């Protein structure tokens, strides 16, 4: 069971890194249309900086069994902004919208699954303790 959880976590982390890297390039290209090239390459950090901080905060909260509503809000807003900005400079075909819009959503879903590996392990431990104390 631990190997399966580890495999899920590794797959989610790899796909998360890939989708952020892909989206970073798309956001950088979008910024190049209005910013100088040397500034445009760093511009996506203004979006993924808060995304990363919120992600780390959510991981901390999951490990400590605390709610992270504000951090999830930041993650959702920045992911929605990434989708909107990636799609904004595409051709207006459905295929372009899907191709450019899916990676930010994928990063959000993969992160959600990654966090689930921490919280489901802790919830199953709590459930086991609750059942043991109920039987006693």
């Amino acid at each position: 069971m631990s190997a399966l959880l580890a495999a899920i976590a590794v797959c989610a982390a790899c796909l998360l890194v890939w989708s952020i890297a892909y989206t970073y390039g798309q956001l950088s290209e979008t910024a190049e249309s209005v910013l100088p090239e040397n500034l445009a390459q760093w511009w996506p950090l203004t979006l993924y900086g808060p995304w990363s901080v919120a992600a780390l905060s959510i991981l901390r909260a999951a490990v400590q069994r605390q709610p992270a509503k504000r951090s999830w809000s930041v993650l959702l807003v920045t992911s929605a902004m990434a989708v909107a900005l990636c799609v904004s400079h595409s051709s207006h075909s459905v295929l372009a919208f899907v191709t450019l819009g899916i990676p930010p959503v994928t990063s959000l879903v993969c992160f959600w699954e990654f966090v689930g590996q921490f919280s489901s392990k802790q919830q199953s431990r709590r459930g086991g303790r609750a059942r043991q104390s109920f039987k006693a």
Side-chain angles (χ1 to χ4, degrees), residues 15-16 18-24 26-27 47-48 51 75-76 78-87 97-111:
L15 195 52
L16 173 67
W18 174 84
S19 45
I20 288 175
Y22 180 80
T23 305
Y24 193 93
Q26 292 295 326
L27 292 172
L47 189 64
Y48 279 116
W51 195 98
L75 203 70
L76 289 172
T78 54
S79 293
M81 288 172 56
V83 169
L85 289 169
C86 284
V87 170
F97 285 165
V98 170
T99 303
L100 297 174
I102 284 181
V105 174
T106 301
S107 63
L108 180 64
V109 170
C110 287
F111 181 73

Side-chain angles (χ1 to χ4, degrees), residues 31-112:
E32 284 177 5
S33 67
V34 293
L35 295 172
E37 186 179 339
N38 59 347
L39 186 59
Q41 69 182 357
W42 296 105
W43 184 84
L45 289 177
T46 61
L47 189 64
Y48 279 116
W51 195 98
S52 300
V53 171
L56 291 172
S57 180
I58 291 166
L59 285 174
R60 178 196 51 82
V63 169
Q64 294 177 350
R65 299 181 191 162
Q66 296 175 347
K69 292 177 185 177
R70 182 181 56 201
S71 298
W72 276 111
S73 299
V74 169
L75 203 70
L76 289 172
V77 167
T78 54
S79 293
M81 288 172 56
V83 169
L85 289 169
C86 284
V87 170
S88 69
H89 279 60
S90 68
S91 64
H92 295 290
S93 70
V94 174
L95 183 59
F97 285 165
V98 170
T99 303
L100 297 174
I102 284 181
V105 174
T106 301
S107 63
L108 180 64
V109 170
C110 287
F111 181 73
W112 183 27

